[in-house]
Amino acid sequence: MARVSQEHLDARRRQILDGAARCFARNGFHATSMQDVLKEVDLSAGAVYRYFSGKDELIAATVTEVLDSVQAMYERAALESPPPTPEVLIARTLTHMTQERSAVLDTGEWAFPRLMIQVWTETLRNDELSALLRERFAKVRAAWVKVVVRYQEAGMMPDDVDPDAVARTLMATAQGFGAQYALFGPFPPEMLRAGVRGMLGMRLPAEGVGNQSVKSG
């Protein structure tokens, strides 16, 4: 019997995960059965269960893959000299996700933002998934902190700012992008990049400016 290559195994695993992502994004976790996933990927039960024991493993694998990939991007960014500015790095990450997690729904809509919302909702009732998400989230945050520290070392950001506070805020910006995309439709990464750049360019007003009352004459 011919030996199956690792490339084939990886491609089959990717096929299953992408098909499950479309099902979950379309109908939610609880309304999706394993039978729905089998139909979506057009594979036998044996072929799918060789890789995943059920929906919980599919969800966990998706969370792990996505956050590990994002963490790796930030780890690499921290090694660049100078490190990419926040608006560049966030836009780069989102562009990478559209390529790596490219599954689309029947409408042509990118499935990942809807899937992200489903994962967040599921963590509220699934303690194991919640623990996994917290663990991976902490690793992504630590990678972002490294980037912020590099900003400070490169003189790109004041030394007195809290790297963890900046990291959490920038992560929230990326998460907010996903939420807006899922709820209100496409939101180009270029627009997010411009928005973050605009916020970073803010300056405190000169003393007295903006506080002057209009005197009646």
Side-chain angles (χ1 to χ4, degrees):
M1 188 173 183
R3 183 178 179 180
V4 178
S5 70
Q6 186 61 47
E7 183 178 0
H8 173 82
L9 295 174
D10 292 343
R12 180 56 53 84
R13 187 175 186 276
R14 176 83 276 130
Q15 177 187 355
I16 296 168
L17 283 173
D18 285 348
R22 288 192 295 271
C23 288
F24 294 147
R26 186 186 302 125
N27 301 316
F29 292 127
H30 297 289
T32 298
S33 67
M34 283 302 289
Q35 197 62 40
D36 293 327
V37 175
L38 299 180
K39 182 178 179 181
E40 183 75 23
V41 298
D42 195 23
L43 293 173
S44 68
V48 172
Y49 284 113
R50 176 181 182 179
Y51 296 87
F52 304 101
S53 63
K55 288 197 296 182
D56 285 348
E57 274 200 12
L58 282 166
I59 298 167
T62 297
V63 169
T64 300
E65 272 196 358
V66 168
L67 294 183
D68 281 359
S69 177
V70 172
Q71 177 191 348
M73 287 196 67
Y74 296 156
E75 295 277 3
R76 290 193 296 270
L79 299 176
E80 294 183 40
S81 184
T85 53
E87 76 273 15
V88 171
L89 183 51
I90 291 175
R92 179 192 296 178
T93 302
L94 293 171
T95 298
H96 172 76
M97 293 308 301
T98 61
Q99 297 168 349
E100 185 176 80
R101 310 293 303 185
S102 59
V104 296
L105 302 178
D106 300 335
T107 60
E109 179 185 358
W110 185 30
F112 179 72
R114 291 173 61 95
L115 177 64
M116 182 181 71
I117 297 293
Q118 294 290 346
V119 168
W120 290 348
T121 303
E122 184 67 9
T123 60
L124 299 178
R125 61 166 296 279
N126 185 324
D127 291 340
E128 290 186 7
L129 180 61
S130 178
L132 174 63
L133 189 64
R134 286 175 180 274
E135 174 193 347
R136 300 293 170 169
F137 180 89
K139 291 182 177 180
V140 173
R141 193 175 83 227
W144 247 123
V145 167
K146 290 180 182 178
V147 176
V148 177
V149 170
R150 288 284 293 111
Y151 291 154
Q152 293 174 318
E153 292 173 347
M156 300 165 64
M157 190 170 285
D159 292 335
D160 60 351
V161 302
D162 179 358
D164 188 57
V166 175
R168 283 175 176 266
T169 301
L170 292 172
M171 289 175 69
T173 299
Q175 291 170 320
F177 166 87
Q180 285 196 43
Y181 195 113
L183 295 172
F184 308 119
F187 186 123
E190 294 77 16
M191 185 179 293
L192 177 63
R193 178 173 176 172
V196 174
R197 184 191 303 118
M199 289 189 297
L200 291 174
M202 290 182 65
R203 296 289 184 270
L204 291 176
E207 185 175 353
V209 176
N211 297 320
Q212 299 173 353
S213 59
V214 177
K215 297 181 179 179
S216 58

